[in-house]
Amino acid sequence: MPVDPTLSHFVRTYDTALPAARCAELIAHFNRETSAQTANGRGHRAGLDDSAWTELNLTRNGPAAWLDALRQDVVNTVDRYNRDTGLSLPVPHSPKLADFILKRYRPTGKERFQLHFDSIYEVSNRYLVMLWYLNAVPAGGETVFPDLELAVEPQQGRLLVFPPYWLYQHAGEPPVGADKFILSTYLLF
Protein backbone atom coordinates (compact mmCIF):
# COMPACT_ATOMS: atom_id res chain seq x y z
CA MET A 1 0.00 0.00 0.00
CA PRO A 2 1.49 3.39 -0.94
CA VAL A 3 2.31 5.87 1.78
CA ASP A 4 0.63 9.30 1.75
CA PRO A 5 1.46 10.70 -1.72
CA THR A 6 2.04 14.18 -0.31
CA LEU A 7 5.32 12.87 1.12
CA SER A 8 6.71 12.86 -2.43
CA HIS A 9 6.50 16.68 -2.30
CA PHE A 10 9.67 16.54 -0.19
CA VAL A 11 11.59 14.50 -2.77
CA ARG A 12 13.06 17.10 -5.15
CA THR A 13 15.15 16.85 -8.28
CA TYR A 14 17.15 19.69 -9.78
CA ASP A 15 18.43 19.13 -13.29
CA THR A 16 21.78 20.61 -14.36
CA ALA A 17 22.70 21.22 -10.71
CA LEU A 18 26.25 20.24 -11.66
CA PRO A 19 27.65 21.30 -15.04
CA ALA A 20 28.52 18.49 -17.43
CA ALA A 21 32.21 19.45 -17.35
CA ARG A 22 32.34 19.14 -13.55
CA CYS A 23 30.58 15.77 -13.71
CA ALA A 24 33.18 14.56 -16.22
CA GLU A 25 36.02 15.88 -14.02
CA LEU A 26 34.65 14.03 -10.99
CA ILE A 27 34.35 10.75 -12.91
CA ALA A 28 37.88 11.16 -14.30
CA HIS A 29 39.17 11.88 -10.78
CA PHE A 30 37.46 8.72 -9.49
CA ASN A 31 39.04 6.65 -12.28
CA ARG A 32 42.52 8.09 -11.58
CA GLU A 33 42.43 7.58 -7.81
CA THR A 34 42.29 3.79 -7.84
CA SER A 35 44.47 3.39 -4.73
CA ALA A 36 41.99 5.43 -2.66
CA GLN A 37 38.90 3.51 -3.83
CA THR A 38 37.23 1.07 -1.46
CA ALA A 39 34.61 -1.62 -1.97
CA ASN A 40 31.46 -1.25 0.09
CA GLY A 41 28.23 -3.12 0.69
CA ARG A 42 28.18 -6.93 0.56
CA GLY A 43 30.98 -8.39 2.68
CA HIS A 44 32.03 -4.96 3.94
CA ARG A 45 29.04 -3.60 5.89
CA ALA A 46 26.66 -5.64 8.02
CA GLY A 47 23.08 -5.67 6.76
CA LEU A 48 23.96 -4.74 3.17
CA ASP A 49 24.16 -8.25 1.74
CA ASP A 50 22.20 -7.28 -1.39
CA SER A 51 24.30 -4.16 -2.06
CA ALA A 52 27.67 -3.56 -3.69
CA TRP A 53 29.57 -0.56 -5.05
CA THR A 54 33.00 1.05 -5.09
CA GLU A 55 33.56 4.44 -3.48
CA LEU A 56 36.08 7.24 -3.13
CA ASN A 57 36.01 9.77 -0.31
CA LEU A 58 36.26 13.05 -2.22
CA THR A 59 36.51 15.10 0.98
CA ARG A 60 39.78 13.32 1.79
CA ASN A 61 40.97 12.83 -1.81
CA GLY A 62 39.75 15.82 -3.79
CA PRO A 63 40.98 19.29 -4.73
CA ALA A 64 40.07 22.00 -2.20
CA ALA A 65 38.55 24.22 -4.91
CA TRP A 66 36.07 21.48 -5.87
CA LEU A 67 35.10 20.95 -2.25
CA ASP A 68 34.58 24.68 -1.68
CA ALA A 69 32.36 24.88 -4.76
CA LEU A 70 30.36 21.84 -3.64
CA ARG A 71 29.85 23.31 -0.16
CA GLN A 72 28.47 26.48 -1.78
CA ASP A 73 26.22 24.31 -3.98
CA VAL A 74 24.85 22.73 -0.79
CA VAL A 75 24.05 26.14 0.72
CA ASN A 76 22.30 27.23 -2.48
CA THR A 77 20.41 23.95 -2.69
CA VAL A 78 19.09 24.22 0.88
CA ASP A 79 17.77 27.70 0.05
CA ARG A 80 16.09 26.40 -3.12
CA TYR A 81 14.69 23.32 -1.35
CA ASN A 82 13.17 25.55 1.32
CA ARG A 83 11.54 27.78 -1.31
CA ASP A 84 10.21 24.77 -3.21
CA THR A 85 8.84 22.80 -0.25
CA GLY A 86 7.31 25.77 1.58
CA LEU A 87 7.88 24.39 5.05
CA SER A 88 6.69 26.64 7.90
CA LEU A 89 10.06 26.11 9.56
CA PRO A 90 12.70 25.85 6.84
CA VAL A 91 15.35 23.16 6.79
CA PRO A 92 18.27 24.76 8.63
CA HIS A 93 21.69 25.26 7.15
CA SER A 94 24.37 23.25 8.90
CA PRO A 95 28.04 23.91 9.49
CA LYS A 96 28.42 20.13 9.44
CA LEU A 97 28.30 18.03 6.30
CA ALA A 98 29.04 14.36 5.85
CA ASP A 99 32.03 13.70 3.63
CA PHE A 100 31.42 13.96 -0.10
CA ILE A 101 31.52 10.37 -1.39
CA LEU A 102 31.86 9.37 -5.05
CA LYS A 103 30.31 5.98 -5.83
CA ARG A 104 30.50 3.75 -8.88
CA TYR A 105 28.00 1.00 -9.66
CA ARG A 106 29.06 -1.43 -12.41
CA PRO A 107 26.48 -2.83 -14.88
CA THR A 108 26.97 -6.44 -13.77
CA GLY A 109 23.49 -6.78 -12.28
CA LYS A 110 25.14 -7.35 -8.90
CA GLU A 111 26.02 -3.75 -8.01
CA ARG A 112 23.15 -1.79 -6.51
CA PHE A 113 22.02 -0.35 -3.18
CA GLN A 114 19.23 -2.36 -1.58
CA LEU A 115 16.12 -0.82 -0.02
CA HIS A 116 17.16 1.28 2.98
CA PHE A 117 16.88 4.64 4.67
CA ASP A 118 19.79 6.90 5.51
CA SER A 119 19.41 7.98 9.15
CA ILE A 120 19.85 5.08 11.56
CA TYR A 121 22.16 4.06 14.41
CA GLU A 122 25.62 5.61 13.99
CA VAL A 123 24.41 7.92 11.19
CA SER A 124 21.21 9.11 12.87
CA ASN A 125 22.56 12.68 12.82
CA ARG A 126 21.75 13.00 9.10
CA TYR A 127 18.81 15.26 8.24
CA LEU A 128 18.88 15.91 4.49
CA VAL A 129 20.21 13.75 1.63
CA MET A 130 21.91 15.25 -1.44
CA LEU A 131 22.76 12.89 -4.28
CA TRP A 132 24.12 14.08 -7.62
CA TYR A 133 24.05 11.82 -10.68
CA LEU A 134 27.27 12.30 -12.63
CA ASN A 135 26.17 10.44 -15.76
CA ALA A 136 23.18 8.94 -17.51
CA VAL A 137 23.02 5.21 -18.20
CA PRO A 138 21.28 3.44 -21.11
CA ALA A 139 18.83 1.72 -18.75
CA GLY A 140 18.30 1.01 -15.06
CA GLY A 141 20.15 2.84 -12.32
CA GLU A 142 17.05 4.60 -10.97
CA THR A 143 16.67 5.61 -7.36
CA VAL A 144 13.30 4.14 -6.43
CA PHE A 145 11.04 5.05 -3.53
CA PRO A 146 8.63 2.09 -3.65
CA ASP A 147 6.27 3.33 -0.93
CA LEU A 148 5.95 6.66 -2.73
CA GLU A 149 5.61 4.99 -6.15
CA LEU A 150 8.42 7.23 -7.37
CA ALA A 151 11.53 6.54 -9.46
CA VAL A 152 14.25 9.05 -10.32
CA GLU A 153 16.31 8.37 -13.45
CA PRO A 154 20.03 9.10 -13.41
CA GLN A 155 20.74 12.09 -15.65
CA GLN A 156 24.08 13.86 -15.81
CA GLY A 157 24.14 16.78 -13.37
CA ARG A 158 20.78 15.97 -11.75
CA LEU A 159 20.58 16.48 -7.99
CA LEU A 160 18.17 14.47 -5.83
CA VAL A 161 17.29 15.92 -2.40
CA PHE A 162 15.08 14.27 0.24
CA PRO A 163 14.77 13.54 3.97
CA PRO A 164 16.78 10.51 5.17
CA TYR A 165 14.07 8.96 7.35
CA TRP A 166 12.14 5.67 7.15
CA LEU A 167 9.22 7.30 5.30
CA TYR A 168 11.70 7.82 2.43
CA GLN A 169 12.93 4.25 2.00
CA HIS A 170 14.72 3.99 -1.30
CA ALA A 171 16.95 1.73 -3.37
CA GLY A 172 19.54 2.29 -6.08
CA GLU A 173 18.72 -0.04 -8.97
CA PRO A 174 21.57 -1.66 -10.91
CA PRO A 175 22.63 0.19 -14.05
CA VAL A 176 22.41 -1.51 -17.42
CA GLY A 177 24.92 -0.91 -20.21
CA ALA A 178 27.31 1.50 -18.43
CA ASP A 179 28.80 2.35 -15.05
CA LYS A 180 26.68 4.69 -12.91
CA PHE A 181 28.50 7.39 -10.94
CA ILE A 182 27.00 9.42 -8.12
CA LEU A 183 28.23 11.92 -5.54
CA SER A 184 26.52 12.16 -2.19
CA THR A 185 26.57 14.03 1.10
CA TYR A 186 24.22 14.68 4.01
CA LEU A 187 23.44 17.67 6.17
CA LEU A 188 24.26 16.72 9.75
CA PHE A 189 22.91 17.79 13.13
Side-chain angles (χ1 to χ4, degrees):
M1 174 184 339
V3 176
D4 182 348
T6 59
L7 291 174
S8 62
H9 174 74
F10 300 100
V11 177
R12 293 290 171 161
T13 58
Y14 301 108
D15 289 342
T16 65
L18 277 182
R22 191 182 311 174
C23 292
E25 289 172 341
L26 288 163
I27 291 170
H29 182 73
F30 181 95
N31 289 330
R32 277 193 309 272
E33 297 293 322
T34 56
S35 64
Q37 294 174 8
T38 57
N40 208 332
R42 181 183 315 110
H44 301 279
R45 277 176 60 189
L48 293 179
D49 297 332
D50 195 27
S51 300
W53 68 91
T54 302
E55 67 184 33
L56 172 73
N57 186 317
L58 186 66
T59 299
R60 296 182 191 154
N61 298 288
W66 290 2
L67 298 170
D68 290 343
L70 286 167
R71 288 184 191 104
Q72 187 58 53
D73 289 345
V74 167
V75 169
N76 296 340
T77 297
V78 171
D79 290 341
R80 185 173 181 187
Y81 185 82
N82 283 327
R83 283 191 308 274
D84 291 349
T85 58
L87 289 166
S88 298
L89 286 175
V91 173
H93 288 279
S94 176
K96 292 191 217 177
L97 283 178
D99 286 353
F100 289 97
I101 304 294
L102 286 166
K103 294 180 183 176
R104 180 193 62 212
Y105 297 88
R106 295 261 163 136
T108 63
K110 297 178 184 177
E111 294 199 9
R112 63 184 306 268
F113 206 124
Q114 70 194 51
L115 188 64
H116 67 287
F117 57 95
D118 292 320
S119 185
I120 187 170
Y121 306 128
E122 69 276 357
V123 292
S124 61
N125 62 334
R126 295 171 172 176
Y127 69 92
L128 195 64
V129 179
M130 293 191 184
L131 186 156
W132 292 265
Y133 300 97
L134 302 180
N135 65 315
V137 296
E142 300 91 347
T143 302
V144 295
F145 297 81
D147 295 328
L148 302 179
E149 298 178 341
L150 179 65
V152 178
E153 292 182 21
Q155 295 296 323
Q156 185 179 54
R158 176 177 283 168
L159 171 58
L160 173 61
V161 183
F162 60 95
Y165 308 115
W166 57 92
L167 295 171
Y168 295 91
Q169 296 175 34
H170 58 285
E173 294 297 317
V176 176
D179 290 348
K180 178 178 96 171
F181 290 89
I182 64 169
L183 172 68
S184 63
T185 191
Y186 305 87
L187 272 65
L188 303 177
F189 289 116

